[in-house]
Amino acid sequence: MSPDFTAATGSSVGGPQAADLLSWYDRHRRVLPWRALPGEAPDPYRVWLSEVMLQQTTIAAVKPYFLRFLERFPSVEALAAAPEESVMSAWAGLGYYSRARNLQACAKAVAEAGAFPDTLDGLRKLPGIGAYTAGAIAAIAFDKQEAAVDGNVERVVTRLFAIETPIPAARPEIRRLTQSLVPAHRPGDFAQSLMDLGSTICTPKRPACALCPWMAPCEARTLGLQETFPRKIKKTKGVERYGAAFVAIRSGDEAVLLRTRPPEGLLGAMAEPPTSAWESGYDVAQALLDAPLDARWKRLPGVVRHVFTHFPLGLTVFVARVGLATKAPAGMRFTPRRDLEEEPLPGVMKKVLAHAFDPKPEAVKRGRPKAMRAVQDTPLFAEVEAPPPEPRPSFHPVPKPVPRAVAKPPIEDGEGFFSEPEESPPPVALRKRGRPKTRPR
């Protein structure tokens, strides 16, 4: 291999070669709605939008959202000019809603500048764009020799070089090694090929090493430890929080009472039915103190569960039917059921509303005590009723048998056998083979 070719690939002889990976990519590249076809120029808007959506989200989940989002906002200028509620509604369901707020802020900055910056430093200055996203856009959209290190790339590189340092402490070393692999020729395709390799071949479990273009130089595979990389520090699970959600349904048009959460913080600027505070020690028996209005609230069976990044959440749902003339409290609104799709409802609140309109008991987990099972479907203001009488057994009880009279002690015949005394009539019993067991006197 010539020195010029080695320099172009960004790899040294004997190590992983960029040319090998690019050759594999040319045969197996995935067709994705945001990815330019061979010979086409990448669209920076599509590249940026897809990279933001793909943060902490799978490709399968992003595809339909990306296509609908692009249809609604076909350009960065259209996204910048759109109402915030429209953007949040289009994003609803993708999670990590701060990304949506940063997305529009970034679109406004780009629209004002007239175009996306084409350098890593320029991209890093935009709202919501970190090191990975900047590297991906610079490489894919502008063909810059920059590394794009996501979770898939971390896994590939830690296995290639058998990096023992656990993540996240290993990330500076991973980035340095990844940057050393990026070729001067086709850096955008290299970035996408590395992502594809981690997603389809170098998977977390049971990687298809025999199909990998970098099988030979992979140090973890040589050691037979490929599935043990990357090393990670076990995360501590957050303390579960609890709360109550109040779904007020207006008679006549089935409108639901909603409010908008504060712009900052968890689920910022998203819509929700009013809820209580979410606390680890929330007392659901006192939930009526948090109700948004006076009504005959009914507590539904089960608990709506949702897992956020830092903690799991359990919400008890209360439902009330209110009159058509009922006015929404300050800062709230009634939205007709047919228009709920237009509201920026996050996934957890969609679960709450689905449970309110079609309540189902919480699934019972095996091995859990009965006291932990689903909450009974009892009206909140119903009087406490006496427990029902114990049901009568459906079988006829069998009387206890009369105990047998104790027989007199047997008499030894001198040869090691025992027999009943003559004055006692022999009992009726089944004849057993073999020598009978003896009992001491």
Side-chain angles (χ1 to χ4, degrees), residues 261-274:
R261 292 178 64 87
E264 302 299 329
L266 186 64
L267 306 181
M270 302 300 288
E272 66 170 5

Side-chain angles (χ1 to χ4, degrees), residues 86-167:
S86 179
V87 176
M88 300 303 288
S89 176
W91 191 273
L94 275 175
Y96 300 92
Y97 295 98
S98 61
R99 293 182 298 169
R101 296 192 294 274
N102 287 330
L103 192 80
Q104 191 171 34
C106 182
K108 291 178 179 179
V110 172
E112 185 177 351
F116 279 92
D118 61 357
T119 64
L120 188 69
D121 291 340
L123 290 165
R124 285 296 303 271
K125 294 177 182 178
L126 293 174
I129 293 186
Y132 162 72
T133 306
I137 297 171
I140 299 170
F142 301 109
D143 217 29
K144 301 293 183 180
Q145 194 176 1
E146 300 290 350
V149 184
D150 66 353
N152 286 319
V153 175
E154 286 181 347
R155 185 167 57 256
V156 171
V157 174
T158 54
R159 289 173 177 175
L160 269 176
F161 299 98
I163 299 174
E164 293 288 347
T165 307
I167 290 176

Side-chain angles (χ1 to χ4, degrees), residues 96-291:
Y96 300 92
Y97 295 98
S98 61
R99 293 182 298 169
R101 296 192 294 274
N102 287 330
L103 192 80
Q104 191 171 34
C106 182
K108 291 178 179 179
V110 172
E112 185 177 351
F116 279 92
D118 61 357
T119 64
L120 188 69
D121 291 340
L123 290 165
R124 285 296 303 271
K125 294 177 182 178
L126 293 174
I129 293 186
Y132 162 72
T133 306
I137 297 171
I140 299 170
F142 301 109
D143 217 29
K144 301 293 183 180
Q145 194 176 1
E146 300 290 350
V149 184
D150 66 353
N152 286 319
V153 175
E154 286 181 347
R155 185 167 57 256
V156 171
V157 174
T158 54
R159 289 173 177 175
L160 269 176
F161 299 98
I163 299 174
E164 293 288 347
T165 307
I167 290 176
R171 282 183 174 142
E173 183 182 5
I174 293 171
R175 182 165 186 82
R176 178 183 61 80
L177 290 169
T178 306
Q179 185 65 55
S180 72
L181 295 172
V182 180
H185 177 60
R186 299 177 63 189
D189 285 343
F190 178 81
Q192 294 175 105
S193 66
L194 203 51
M195 297 173 193
D196 281 9
L197 185 70
S199 181
T200 62
I201 300 295
C202 197
T203 51
K205 295 181 180 179
R206 302 182 66 182
C209 296
L211 303 177
C212 180
W214 280 348
M215 179 182 68
C218 180
E219 295 184 22
R221 199 262 179 186
T222 301
L223 297 171
L225 300 174
Q226 56 269 37
E227 289 192 41
T228 68
F229 291 92
R231 308 287 199 228
K232 291 184 179 180
I233 298 175
K234 189 175 181 179
K235 295 181 180 179
T236 57
K237 187 178 181 181
V239 177
E240 186 168 11
R241 301 181 192 178
Y242 304 92
F246 300 91
V247 181
I249 304 172
R250 193 168 62 186
S251 300
D253 59 358
E254 295 289 291
V256 178
L257 183 66
L258 298 178
R259 69 182 181 187
T260 299
R261 292 178 64 87
E264 302 299 329
L266 186 64
L267 306 181
M270 302 300 288
E272 66 170 5
T275 69
S276 68
W278 302 346
E279 302 167 342
S280 59
Y282 184 76
D283 185 2
V284 73
Q286 303 295 321
L288 277 186
L289 298 175
D290 298 315

Side-chain angles (χ1 to χ4, degrees), residues 41-66:
D43 180 358
Y45 175 62
R46 288 183 173 228
V47 173
W48 163 69
L49 181 59
S50 67
E51 290 300 335
V52 175
M53 284 188 170
L54 286 166
Q55 294 169 13
Q56 307 292 330
T57 315
T58 64
I59 285 178
V62 165
K63 277 183 181 180
Y65 279 94
F66 178 84

Side-chain angles (χ1 to χ4, degrees), residues 22-32 35-40 186 188-189 192-193 196:
L22 288 169
S23 179
W24 171 85
Y25 178 69
D26 290 338
R27 296 192 303 272
H28 303 289
R29 63 184 294 158
R30 291 178 294 179
V31 177
L32 300 173
R35 181 175 287 179
L37 296 174
E40 290 183 351
R186 299 177 63 189
D189 285 343
Q192 294 175 105
S193 66
D196 281 9

